[in-house]
Amino acid sequence: MESDFACKIAALAAKEPRFDIEVYGFVSDAVTFSVARLARERHVSAAELLDGIREFATITYGVVASQVLASWGLTHESHVGEVVYLLINAGLLRASKEDSPEDFNTGRPLFPQVAQIRTVRRKSDKLPFID
């Protein structure tokens, strides 16, 4: 028998196919992770949740965290807000009166691109060099 949580998640995934079903459980777990990091239990802001999601994803999936989340449809901070509010509307998360989906609309990617570092070695570096 499926739990109430699993049934609500399945309904969300059917209603919003843009996001993989895995994303809902992940975001819910990331909220729990973010709250647990606080000195005392309280509401987390959008900025705190976004930081918590990045950290939780990196702990959970390592160097491929951004690719895993992207494969689920989470590529921008605004996508996190959409998922959070889908979970809120399904009764699986709560928001304060001051919260808004626009709090997540930063225009930034969830995981910023890291510049590729290209190393150029010269013969004068006195390191092994292969021509």
Side-chain angles (χ1 to χ4, degrees), residues 74-86:
L74 285 184
T75 57
H76 287 79
E77 292 178 344
S78 61
H79 296 158
V80 174
E82 291 175 47
V83 170
V84 165
Y85 275 84
L86 286 168

Side-chain angles (χ1 to χ4, degrees), residues 88-107:
I88 289 167
N89 292 334
L92 297 171
L93 290 179
R94 290 186 313 251
S96 73
K97 293 176 197 165
E98 296 81 33
D99 290 333
S100 164
E102 287 76 34
D103 295 343
F104 294 90
N105 292 343
T106 64

Side-chain angles (χ1 to χ4, degrees), residues 49-64:
L49 180 55
L50 289 166
D51 288 342
I53 283 177
R54 282 186 278 270
E55 185 176 347
F56 185 65
T58 302
I59 290 168
T60 306
Y61 300 108
V63 296
V64 296

Side-chain angles (χ1 to χ4, degrees), residues 21-31 52-54 56-58 60-61 69 72 74:
I21 193 167
E22 297 292 328
V23 83
Y24 300 104
F26 172 81
V27 169
S28 178
D29 290 345
V31 169
I53 283 177
R54 282 186 278 270
F56 185 65
T58 302
T60 306
Y61 300 108
L69 271 55
W72 293 343
L74 285 184

